[in-house]
Amino acid sequence: MNWLVTGGAGYIGSHVVQAFREVGLGAVVLDDLSSGHAEFVPDDVPLIRGSILDTDLVAGTLAEHHVTGVVHLAGFKYAGVSVDRPLHTYEQNVTGTSHLLAAMATAGVDAIVFSSSAAVYGTPDTDLVTEQTATAPESPYGESKLIGEWLLRDQGRATGLRHTSLRYFNVVGSGSPTLYDSSPHNLFPLVLDALAAGRTPRINGDDYPTPDGTCVRDYVHVADLAVSHVAAAQALAGGRALEPVYNLGSGDGVSVRQIMTAMADATGIEFTPDVAPRRPGDPARIVASGALAARDLDWKMRHTLADMVASAWRAHTR
Ligand SMILES: NC(=O)c1ccc[n+]([C@@H]2O[C@H](COP(=O)([O-])OP(=O)(O)OC[C@H]3O[C@@H](n4cnc5c(N)ncnc54)[C@H](O)[C@@H]3O)[C@@H](O)[C@H]2O)c1
């Protein structure tokens, strides 16, 4: 029984492949390597280099590798950049998902786990986001993820496709020193890059209405996240009904300043972060309850914040 992991050469996808292997589930990766790394894919896992937009390639891969389900992580993930590149974002995330679903229908593959995002909520007016919180995306990226969820829902109604969408919050850390987040826009790689290069990390805005004035986010360890993909895949494979969406959030808020302190502790580098003005569009706080995922998807915080920072630093410096 094989699962196709689209985007399996990326940061989160490579951890999902690792988690599948740990429970003995077969994985095949399809990735165009636009932001992924071929070396993130283990030698004994087939890596098909190509795009989810190539319906024939995807349908052929599903048939050739006897795939029974798909974990769909491939996509363009930079919310800020998506504002300037809406068409690219929609093409990768909406057209790409639609083509993938078409290929699955052609090949008779009827189970999918989709990478969605906290970005579907925009700036929620609540201390703790739940799956009932209204969606109000504020970028083409967030919109494209919400449309991806709708595509799964509508295809499910039309064809019986079994599906669930996992809304990730801030995914950080490394489950292995060889796998890391190479995003040029996320807080962790930005701070680690600065420290490794002897520069002072920067906080964007310290005048938010939060306890220490810096933005509060919900950080989750990538290896914990990966385990829930296995649980979701196994549930769908076993015919167990899942919710259409789950928040993969910890319920705990951590401020950017607290992250800076944890970074100094983990790296042994003492620094006082520079403070720059706020970035437009950054909500003061976004923290989610992961209660539903804890009930259905073996979701729990197996790692502390110190683990998240230390593992990210180890992978970064390797
Ligand atoms: N990192 C986060 O904090 C976060 C939060 C919420 C949601 N997500 C979502 O999770 C998914 C994975 O994110 P990540 O952090 O691992 O990013 P990533 O950029 O490391 O991984 C994305 C992977 O998809 C591949 N890819 C992109 N477009 C493709 C296409 N058209 N065809 C085939 N492969 C393609 C890339 O080469 C890369 O390997 C993304 O869909 C992202 O939107 C990530």
Side-chain angles (χ1 to χ4, degrees):
M1 195 160 74
N2 282 324
W3 280 70
L4 180 70
V5 181
T6 73
Y11 168 51
I12 300 173
S14 57
H15 285 87
V16 169
V17 169
Q18 198 172 51
F20 269 62
R21 284 155 57 85
E22 276 163 18
V23 297
L25 277 176
V28 177
V29 168
L30 184 123
D31 199 299
D32 68 0
L33 301 182
S34 52
S35 59
H37 309 272
E39 64 272 21
F40 280 11
V41 181
D43 289 341
D44 57 353
V45 171
L47 166 60
I48 290 82
R49 295 177 192 220
S51 174
I52 50 169
L53 289 155
D54 185 343
T55 311
D56 290 343
L57 174 72
V58 179
T61 301
L62 294 171
E64 185 186 335
H65 292 275
H66 309 290
V67 168
T68 53
V70 175
V71 182
H72 176 34
L73 298 111
F76 184 73
K77 70 167 175 177
Y78 303 127
V81 182
S82 77
V83 175
D84 296 322
R85 300 188 69 194
L87 299 184
H88 177 74
T89 307
Y90 277 106
E91 183 185 41
Q92 298 302 311
N93 295 358
V94 177
T95 311
T97 300
S98 161
H99 284 215
L100 172 66
L101 292 173
M104 290 174 65
T106 301
V109 175
D110 64 355
I112 183 167
V113 179
F114 173 56
S115 288
S116 188
S117 169
V120 302
Y121 294 112
T123 307
D125 185 19
T126 173
D127 271 354
L128 199 62
V129 170
T130 72
E131 290 79 358
Q132 306 309 316
T133 301
T135 53
E138 291 173 350
S139 65
Y141 171 73
E143 286 160 353
S144 73
K145 287 291 175 182
L146 191 54
I147 296 171
E149 294 181 3
W150 294 344
L151 284 169
L152 266 62
R153 178 197 65 193
D154 293 345
Q155 185 71 347
R157 278 191 198 135
T159 68
L161 176 76
R162 289 166 291 137
H163 62 93
T164 192
S165 294
L166 309 181
R167 294 175 175 166
Y168 311 157
F169 282 69
N170 291 67
V171 188
V172 297
S174 285
S176 149
T178 54
L179 306 177
Y180 51 86
D181 184 3
S182 54
S183 158
H185 303 290
N186 290 355
L187 178 68
F188 266 52
L190 282 173
V191 174
L192 295 171
D193 274 346
L195 290 177
R199 286 182 278 110
T200 306
R202 191 174 64 187
I203 291 175
N204 290 104
D206 66 352
D207 56 351
Y208 287 92
T210 57
D212 67 16
T214 66
C215 288
V216 171
R217 295 287 178 271
D218 188 340
Y219 294 93
V220 296
H221 194 289
V222 65
D224 293 342
L225 193 90
V227 169
S228 284
H229 290 70
V230 173
Q234 287 174 326
L236 293 179
R240 191 151 62 78
L242 291 180
E243 302 291 339
V245 297
Y246 291 92
N247 288 333
L248 297 186
S250 71
D252 271 337
V254 176
S255 75
V256 175
R257 204 175 275 290
Q258 287 175 304
I259 294 291
M260 296 289 175
T261 304
M263 289 278 182
D265 290 346
T267 61
I269 303 172
E270 277 182 37
F271 66 94
T272 305
D274 291 337
V275 178
R278 293 181 183 198
R279 285 189 310 196
D282 272 346
R285 175 188 162 93
I286 175 160
V287 177
S289 163
L292 266 192
R295 184 193 70 190
D296 293 349
L297 300 179
D298 194 18
W299 173 242
K300 56 181 159 220
M301 297 303 110
R302 296 169 174 86
H303 294 84
T304 63
L305 179 63
D307 296 333
M308 297 180 205
V309 176
S311 64
W313 176 244
R314 261 196 310 278
H316 196 86
T317 48
R318 185 176 177 274

